[in-house]
């Protein structure tokens, strides 16, 4: 499951009805948890912290890693339970995400993106904190597709346009089963520079393929 992703999204004209008005955020090829990202619950996107802070938290911060939520247990975890029950669904667009493979201390990063290179959309949930209306979100994960499970056993829930419409619908049914059983868009993946491990490194060279 990604702990980093690239939010420098190419033109996604086919998604205009759902991703119409983008919030003012910084774009990077190395977004990490805790940073502000674009998330959509309507055609107008919101700036949200990546890493969900539940509305009942005493402060807008977390000592736990809440940037990902397993679909199998999302309804049970205290940090996510209310947002799940209230159907606070969102869409998180990205160019692609990074995953690491190998032994500790010598892990090789891979960049995973849509085969057509036109961007991906992840299913998420969000919550609103405090009187100032601070928003935060998390990406939902599922078991990885066979083609990429050798890199990592988990992956974000990736949505087609049709799936995204269903996810945002207030009438969506059997949500866990739906997200577990849907077919991901066709993906491509390749090794990239280990510089991506440094959160301060942001350039486009991070998504360029390397020889290993």
């Amino acid at each position: 499951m990604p702990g980093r992703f690239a939010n420098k999204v190419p033109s996604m004209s086919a998604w205009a009805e759902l991703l119409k008005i983008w919030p003012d955020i910084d774009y990077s090829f190395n977004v990490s948890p805790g940073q502000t990202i674009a998330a959509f619950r309507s055609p107008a996107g919101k700036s949200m912290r990546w890493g969900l802070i539940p509305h009942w938290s005493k402060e807008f911060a977390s000592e736990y890693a809440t940037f990902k939520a397993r679909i199998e247990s999302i309804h049970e975890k205290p940090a996510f339970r209310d947002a799940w029950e209230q159907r606070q669904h969102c869409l998180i667009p990205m160019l692609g995400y990074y995953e690491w493979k190998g032994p500790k201390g010598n892990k090789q990063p891979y960049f995973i993106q849509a085969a057509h290179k036109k961007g991906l959309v992840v299913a998420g949930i969000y919550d609103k904190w405090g009187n100032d209306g601070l928003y935060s979100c998390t990406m939902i994960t599922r078991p990885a597709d066979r083609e990429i499970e050798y890199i990592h056993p988990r992956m974000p829930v990736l949505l087609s346009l049709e799936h995204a419409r269903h996810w945002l619908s207030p009438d969506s049914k059997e949500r866990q089963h739906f997200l577990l059983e849907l077919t991901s868009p066709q993906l491509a993946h390749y090794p990239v520079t280990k510089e991506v491990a440094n959160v301060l490194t942001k350039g486009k060279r991070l998504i360029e393929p390397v020889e290993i």
Side-chain angles (χ1 to χ4, degrees), residues 178-190:
F178 166 68
L179 294 184
L180 278 168
E181 297 300 321
L182 59 78
T183 301
S184 303
Q186 187 176 356
L187 300 173
H189 62 278
Y190 52 85

Side-chain angles (χ1 to χ4, degrees), residues 22 29 73 76 81 86 94-95 103 117 121 123 132 140 163 167 178 191 200 208:
W22 287 69
F29 290 95
S73 59
E76 301 172 338
R81 187 168 53 217
Q86 295 299 317
M94 61 168 62
L95 174 61
K117 301 182 180 180
V121 174
D132 294 333
I140 302 176
H163 294 151
W167 178 239
F178 166 68
L200 300 179
E208 295 174 356

Side-chain angles (χ1 to χ4, degrees), residues 151-178:
I151 301 175
H152 196 278
R154 307 282 304 175
M155 67 180 292
V157 174
L158 302 173
L159 303 173
S160 67
L161 183 55
E162 179 183 359
H163 294 151
R165 291 193 188 101
H166 180 77
W167 178 239
L168 291 185
S169 169
D171 300 322
S172 56
K173 306 295 184 182
E174 299 181 347
R175 294 174 293 160
Q176 285 177 303
H177 179 76
F178 166 68

Side-chain angles (χ1 to χ4, degrees), residues 27-49:
Y27 292 95
S28 169
F29 290 95
N30 196 4
V31 180
S32 59
Q35 294 184 338
T36 300
I37 64 173
F40 291 77
R41 54 202 175 102
S42 71
K46 292 283 294 185
S47 298
M48 298 191 189
R49 178 191 188 272

Side-chain angles (χ1 to χ4, degrees), residues 1-2 33 49-57 61-90 92 123-128 135-142 154 167 175-176 179:
M1 165 57 206
R49 178 191 188 272
W50 183 26
L52 190 145
I53 308 298
H55 63 90
W56 45 257
S57 180
S62 175
E63 59 183 292
Y64 304 106
T66 58
F67 62 91
K68 57 184 178 180
R70 296 172 68 98
I71 186 55
E72 299 92 336
S73 59
I74 193 171
H75 63 294
E76 301 172 338
K77 301 298 183 182
F80 307 132
R81 187 168 53 217
D82 289 352
W84 175 260
E85 290 180 354
Q86 295 299 317
R87 294 177 174 266
Q88 293 172 182
H89 300 176
C90 64
I92 302 171
I125 57 171
Y126 72 92
D127 211 345
K128 180 182 177 182
Y135 285 82
S136 60
C137 63
T138 188
M139 296 182 187
I140 302 176
T141 73
R142 56 176 282 186
R154 307 282 304 175
W167 178 239
R175 294 174 293 160
Q176 285 177 303
L179 294 184

